[in-house]
Amino acid sequence: QVQLVESGGGVVQAGGSLRLSCAVSGSTFSAYVMAWYRQAPGKQRELVATIRRDGSTNYAASVKGRFTISRDNPKNTVYLQMNSLKPEDTAVYYCKGSHWLQSVDYWGQGTQVTVSS
């Protein structure tokens, strides 16, 4: 059974930093494209950043230059380093794993990030 567990959320002042982690168990982590999404109250879930199996990355325009996604395959973990946080970054952040061969996605339970002004 594949499980994704996020951690690292919290409350931070505008301009501050947080690092989210997502630990994956139950499958071969290196076989997954990993991504971070977020969902603010009353809004649709949106893609924040993606990291592929080869380490290449993509970012939403709203976070480019401030957020960095990375992965540590031996630790089965994906990270999201968030710098220069803004109140509009406030949301529940979810990680998602997509197996590169199988048509199945796995989601974590989410972690709350609150940025105060």
Side-chain angles (χ1 to χ4, degrees):
Q1 181 180 0
V2 181
Q3 288 189 318
L4 282 68
V5 179
E6 300 101 334
S7 60
V11 180
V12 64
Q13 287 191 331
S17 298
L18 282 174
R19 188 177 82 154
L20 306 182
S21 300
C22 173
V24 179
S25 61
S27 188
T28 305
F29 179 71
S30 59
Y32 288 81
V33 175
M34 300 300 299
W36 286 96
Y37 285 73
R38 67 185 180 186
Q39 187 166 19
K43 295 189 176 182
Q44 289 190 331
R45 192 171 296 189
E46 63 172 350
L47 177 62
V48 174
T50 302
I51 185 165
R52 298 175 189 81
R53 296 167 65 233
D54 64 0
S56 60
T57 58
N58 286 100
Y59 297 91
S62 58
V63 307
K64 201 166 187 179
R66 299 188 298 123
F67 291 10
T68 302
I69 188 172
S70 61
R71 64 191 297 159
D72 187 334
N73 286 349
K75 293 185 177 179
N76 294 347
T77 302
V78 61
Y79 303 97
L80 186 68
Q81 177 67 44
M82 305 185 294
N83 298 329
S84 302
L85 282 161
K86 304 175 181 180
E88 51 263 43
D89 295 318
T90 295
V92 178
Y93 283 71
Y94 300 88
C95 76
K96 185 184 82 169
S98 304
H99 196 280
W100 77 289
L101 281 180
Q102 303 166 4
S103 298
V104 60
D105 296 330
Y106 298 95
W107 291 87
Q109 81 289 350
T111 185
Q112 176 71 47
V113 171
T114 302
V115 184
S116 62
S117 57

